Amino acid sequence: MSAKELILADLDGDRTWRLQDYIKRGGYEALKKVVSGQMSADDIIGEVKKSALRGRGGAGFPTGLKWSFMPRSFPGDKYLACNSDEGEPGTFKDRDILRYNPHTVIEGMTIAAYAMGCSRGYNYIHGEIFETYLRFEEALAEAREAGLLGEKILGSDFSFDLFAHHGYGAYICGEETALLESIEGKKGQPRFKPPFPASFGLYGKPTTINNTETFASIPFIIRDGGETFLNYGKPNNGGTKIFSISGHVNRPGCYEIEMGTPFPELLEMAGGMRGGRKLKGVIPGGSSAPVVPAAIMMDCTMDYDSISKAGSMLGSGAVIVMDESTCMVKALERLSYFYFEESCGQCTPCREGTGWLYRVVHRIEHGKGRQDDLDLLNSVTANIMGRTICALGDAAAMPVQSFVKHFGDEFQYHIDNKKCLVPPEVQYEGSKIYVGPSC
Amino acid sequence: MLSQESLSRIDRELEKYPAEQKKSATMSALRIAQEELGWLSDETIAFVADYLGLTAIEVFEVASFYNMYDLAPVGRHKITVCTNLPCALSGGVHAAEYVKQKLGIDFNETTPDGKFTLKEGECMGACGDAPVLLVNNHHMCSWMTPEKIDQMLADLDK
């Protein structure tokens, strides 16, 4: 059992993020290979397809396929955007990539721009990690200075410039068209699709948006080959993946492992269960992913297909671990409040429905639940799912459905007994301030 | 209304976008204005709009949509504690309670001396560092034990 690091390999926290360190790690070799004409745009996209790299932001869409949607002969600018608006509860991998290895994202984006003929790119960085945004700006300045960005990159005919744009507190901007609206200086409200960004994106121009970790995987794929990357994972689930583990473990943090690693191994890497308590449930892919009970989760491997078979989603690879001291109603109440707070308000089923979900879960948790509340929750979620412009509505509904499905007894106990099944003092003990040994 | 330095910083942001897309700099211009003035009044918003060649309502829409902009005065130091689920499992709520008790205020309140405002935050994307809090929007503090909270408040109070 061990980590397999491609993106996070040989990093030393805040000490090795600069250009010179990245070059020592083999950085920008892939870009040189590309701009020197050793690989055509088709070769690059072919290699990315071969790698079976799937979007690391949550949707898991095949990256090579996405790139091939961009029009070839478009008169005018085409854009590239990186989605670093990492605000899905449980997810904190992109922050580590950007602050410890920012040049891998710059190199990945530049190669992507070459493959798709984009002249300009933006990295949209979550507002709350403003210090990381400033560091990324410094890394951009280093790259520009070294001729790795801007006009005629490394003396070739290829020009591409990249800029950082910060968010300022809106979860919804992680939705790719909301992100584009936000770069345009508007409210981050998702657009109707179609048209998809590949035909009508930023400023109405063809645009491709990928997640930070997706771009960060590109230099390795180009340097060492798509097949090498694929072999680190399993078919249809290529490469390594960074999992951010939070909650009731001894060592919360980011762990880069091969796709298909059994969940118990990942849990052990994170130091195992805190205080030796028993695992109760896991949200395996960020707060929007359905919760999976302990017994099912312990049989899963960490890849798109296995987690999907378990009835959930690998999502962004954010693994929220909850032990037996957790009140599942309270856990859901907090998540439901989040979606209520973050709904952009554009679609009625989401704007109103997230409020209903929060208020009903809140009253169950606070001993005011009614006998038909579980049916009511199911009815509200059914009326949100699939009826909104973007996936936030579904993201709010899926936790509710899965918590009620798997932990229905606990919800019923609250309604019948007007109190938590897990005694308050046990909850208090289990979730008090914990700072692990890695801190 | 804004200092020459802030205006120069906004000008640098404008260079990131195509010349005809000045609106794209709205978010950073508002951020820069808030850094200088502490919060965004209607007058500030109108000024930023004018500077970027936009209408005030266009800029107000942005200022009111993103929750790190303050449309009302806040204390000299704004502390935002994340209490979302991953943080809560590692003491985020306890840390927030501790800050409340230390400052004698609740969420969305300011201490009578105008030094501190406390806010409840949503996910900051640093769940592995829980408990996590932001100071004045831009400085993230990780693994905030009561001792570190004491130290942080003492440093800010200087």
Side-chain angles (χ1 to χ4, degrees), chain A residues 127 242 329-330:
Chain A
I242 302 174
V329 182
K330 194 174 190 170

Side-chain angles (χ1 to χ4, degrees), chain A residues 265-347:
Chain A
E265 285 188 23
L266 179 63
L267 187 59
E268 211 179 315
M269 268 182 233
M273 297 302 294
R274 192 183 306 165
R277 287 188 295 268
K278 233 177 90 193
L279 180 67
K280 186 170 187 174
V282 175
I283 303 176
S287 62
S288 313
V291 65
V292 179
I296 301 176
M297 195 63 210
M298 290 304 275
D299 286 335
C300 285
T301 57
M302 298 310 289
D303 54 82
Y304 296 98
D305 296 341
S306 169
I307 301 293
S308 160
K309 229 179 271 170
S312 189
M313 311 184 303
L314 191 72
S316 55
V319 182
I320 306 172
V321 177
M322 292 174 282
D323 70 24
E324 57 196 341
S325 73
T326 314
C327 168
M328 296 314 247
V329 182
K330 194 174 190 170
L332 179 63
E333 181 199 14
R334 187 60 186 87
L335 290 182
S336 294
Y337 178 76
F338 169 72
Y339 291 104
F340 171 47
E341 169 76 23
E342 296 295 337
S343 172
C344 81
Q346 189 173 209
C347 310

